[in-house]
């Protein structure tokens, strides 16, 4: 047996799995990382005689397979599927699970693009949706109807860092015959494993912490059920928004350092959140690691650490928030998150402009940080000068 994640002594630690799952040595050359199989089609030995099980790279590609096996192992699932973007993964999932007349419950705080997919695309096929505060189990229960097929949760949420009790909502969804989908992008499987808490499907924008270096766009689905895994794989091939070989390779490489990166993101974010809570120009800090955060206890129960995302509100309203973003220097002004470099943005005008006027509208004085893994002292100094305007 080659050096895969299989172990004779039982399950391996997360760090070992991150580095080895799916990463079998190349059978031809012995290369210790999977090559980028930049190929569309495969020679057949006689009609239908597939040598390595591959026939066409939309259906399957060896570099993507390596990533998909790795994703399944990291989330403790049975099947992983890699897509061209997080939204491509979400689209495939919704078109697999939903039919006209079905109903979904979506959170009152979520990535703006996810909301747009429900409100502007999925709704056009006759799928109905209601918004719930998923941090409150009773609010989820109240939003359910006999037609509810999916309950969608993002925890921590984007951009308000709300926390949902995954195990509690999983139970409510199960009792209603609905599937629980958890967008695990902010936490990553190193910090939180929703399938073990009762979720049916995990969604990732791999563009963020999984890739980790702001150099690739990708998405993933992971499920614990073989039949659902087969159904999703059918739709992935039928719809075709797959992750390409180079993008798959980049994400596989990023994942190898996911545990060390997430530890440092969490440490740096803890220091930044602490500084912000004491800063006179900051009126509110949203970080689940803070004891005063309403979801702190649940986050401490279901997450290994609190991650690298922080949002905060500033004195002086929208203009002041925009000025803070514009003055930051080491924190790069930009959308997205989860890379090694720190980013700052104004959700109301940038990532969440598409939810303006909806139940998901975000406060105008909100600033969102993706705290990177630079020296924490430099990050604190930059934020102080951005807040103080000196
Ligand atoms: N889910 C969350 C929480 C996100 O932040 C994003 C993107 O910002 C997405 C999903 C969509 O992923 P992508 O941009 O890779 O399509």
């Amino acid at each position: 047996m080659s050096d895969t994640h299989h172990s004779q002594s039982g399950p391996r630690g997360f760090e070992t799995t991150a580095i080895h799952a799916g990463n079998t040595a190349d059978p031809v050359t012995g290369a210790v990382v999977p090559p980028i199989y930049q190929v569309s089609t495969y020679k057949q030995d006689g009609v239908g005689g597939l040598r390595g099980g591959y026939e066409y790279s939309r259906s399957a590609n060896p570099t993507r397979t390596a990533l998909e096996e790795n994703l399944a192992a990291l989330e403790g699932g049975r099947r992983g599927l890699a897509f061209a973007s997080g939204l491509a993964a979400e689209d495939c999932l919704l078109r697999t699970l939903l039919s006209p007349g079905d109903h979904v419950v979506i959170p009152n705080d979520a990535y703006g693009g996810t909301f747009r997919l429900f409100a502007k695309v999925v709704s056009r096929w006759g799928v109905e949706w209601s918004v719930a505060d998923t941090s409150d189990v009773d609010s989820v229960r109240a939003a359910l109807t006999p037609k509810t097929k999916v309950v969608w949760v993002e925890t921590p949420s984007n951009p308000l860092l709300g926390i949902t009790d995954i195990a509690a909502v999983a139970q409510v969804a199960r009792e209603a015959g609905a599937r629980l989908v958890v967008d695990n992008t902010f936490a990553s499987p190193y910090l939180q494993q929703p399938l073990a808490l009762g979720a049916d499907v995990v969604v990732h924008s791999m563009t963020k912490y999984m890739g980790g270096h702001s150099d690739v766009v990708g998405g993933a689905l992971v499920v614990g059920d073989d039949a659902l895994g087969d159904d999703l794989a059918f739709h992935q091939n039928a719809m075709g928004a797959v992750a390409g070989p180079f993008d798959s390779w980049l994400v596989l490489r990023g994942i190898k350092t996911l545990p060390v990166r997430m530890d440092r993101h969490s440490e740096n974010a803890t220091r930044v959140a602490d500084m912000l809570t004491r800063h006179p120009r900051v009126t509110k800090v949203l970080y689940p690691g803070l004891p005063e955060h309403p979801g702190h206890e649940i986050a401490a129960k279901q997450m290994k650490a609190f991650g690298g995302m922080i949002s905060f509100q500033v004195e002086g309203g929208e203009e002041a928030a925009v000025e803070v973003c514009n003055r930051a220097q080491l924190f790069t002004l930009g959308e997205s998150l989860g890379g090694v470099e720190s980013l700052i943005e104004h959700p109301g005008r940038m990532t969440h402009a598409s939810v303006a006027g909806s139940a998901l509208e975000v406060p105008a004085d909100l600033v969102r940080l993706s705290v990177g893994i630079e020296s924490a002292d430099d990050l604190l100094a930059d934020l102080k000068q951005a807040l103080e305007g000196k």
Side-chain angles (χ1 to χ4, degrees):
M1 193 177 81
S2 56
D3 46 350
T4 68
H5 59 291
H6 302 296
S7 163
Q8 284 160 3
S9 55
R12 289 178 169 179
F14 188 94
E15 290 81 353
T16 310
T17 302
I19 292 170
H20 292 282
N23 284 270
T24 36
D26 177 49
V28 178
T29 63
V32 297
V33 294
I36 305 166
Y37 281 92
Q38 194 67 43
V39 60
S40 61
T41 193
Y42 304 80
K43 179 178 178 350
Q44 303 195 4
D45 293 329
V47 173
L50 306 182
R51 291 180 180 196
Y54 293 95
E55 58 181 337
Y56 186 60
S57 282
R58 170 164 35 75
S59 313
N61 169 282
T63 317
R64 196 175 95 221
T65 302
L67 172 61
E68 291 179 335
E69 288 179 10
N70 183 277
L71 291 167
L74 290 186
E75 287 287 3
R78 304 264 317 162
R79 186 79 172 254
L81 301 116
F83 294 84
S85 70
L87 283 177
E90 294 182 16
D91 179 38
C92 179
L93 175 63
L94 296 176
R95 282 202 265 172
T96 304
L97 294 182
L98 298 172
S99 301
D102 289 344
H103 173 262
V104 296
V105 176
I106 63 170
N108 65 353
D109 182 31
Y111 170 57
T114 299
F115 175 71
R116 186 176 53 204
L117 184 62
F118 280 108
K120 299 265 166 71
V121 182
V122 178
S123 59
R124 282 177 37 224
W125 326 319
V127 170
E128 291 177 2
W129 49 275
S130 315
V131 174
D133 172 2
T134 60
S135 68
D136 172 7
V137 183
D138 291 334
S139 169
V140 176
R141 201 179 278 114
L144 293 166
T145 79
K147 293 178 175 175
T148 306
K149 290 281 168 23
V150 166
V151 175
W152 192 283
V153 159
E154 222 182 82
T155 183
S157 64
N158 182 1
L160 298 177
L161 281 305
I163 297 294
T164 294
D165 185 333
I166 298 173
V169 173
Q171 195 182 334
V172 168
R174 199 177 312 118
E175 284 165 11
R179 284 197 160 103
L180 175 63
V181 177
V182 176
D183 184 331
N184 204 25
T185 299
F186 268 33
S188 90
Y190 177 63
L191 298 185
Q192 173 174 280
Q193 297 183 326
L195 296 180
L197 296 166
D200 298 289
V201 184
V202 174
V203 172
H204 279 283
S205 169
M206 300 193 297
T207 316
K208 319 299 187 211
Y209 289 107
M210 303 292 257
H213 296 75
S214 307
D215 54 10
V216 61
V217 172
L221 300 174
V222 184
V223 295
D225 176 76
D226 285 328
L228 179 57
D230 289 345
D231 203 10
L232 287 168
F234 168 82
H235 283 85
Q236 181 193 39
N237 181 51
M239 286 154 48
V242 295
F246 184 44
D247 289 355
S248 298
W249 185 88
L250 280 170
V251 176
L252 257 183
R253 183 169 74 157
I255 285 172
K256 289 176 192 181
T257 56
L258 179 70
V260 287
R261 284 188 286 108
M262 292 314 295
D263 281 341
R264 183 60 65 86
H265 282 296
S266 302
E267 277 168 38
N268 281 0
T270 300
R271 285 198 55 195
V272 168
D274 181 52
M275 183 278 282
L276 291 173
T277 51
R278 287 182 284 108
H279 199 284
R281 290 214 54 212
V282 174
T283 53
K284 193 167 184 191
V285 183
L286 308 172
Y287 184 61
L290 294 171
E292 60 268 31
H293 186 289
H296 177 69
E297 273 177 33
I298 290 162
K301 194 178 68 177
Q302 68 189 17
M303 298 176 74
K304 187 177 161 70
F306 302 102
M309 297 302 297
I310 301 176
S311 290
F312 62 97
Q313 288 168 269
V314 292
E315 194 184 75
E318 179 165 8
E319 290 313 316
V322 168
E323 268 172 37
V324 170
C325 294
N326 286 337
R327 274 198 297 258
Q329 289 170 9
L330 183 56
F331 276 81
T332 303
L333 177 61
E335 306 210 350
S336 201
L337 59 111
V340 292
E341 58 289 291
S342 293
L343 298 176
I344 190 166
E345 68 121 0
H346 183 263
R349 291 199 192 168
M350 295 170 65
T351 49
H352 289 69
S354 61
V355 298
S358 78
L360 283 80
E361 187 164 285
V362 297
D365 59 358
L366 191 76
V367 174
R368 192 189 75 180
L369 302 176
S370 172
V371 179
I373 63 171
E374 300 97 332
S375 310
D377 288 342
D378 295 335
L379 298 177
L380 297 180
D382 188 41
L383 285 174
K384 281 187 193 154
Q385 71 77 24
L387 282 162
E388 291 157 23
K390 291 180 205 152

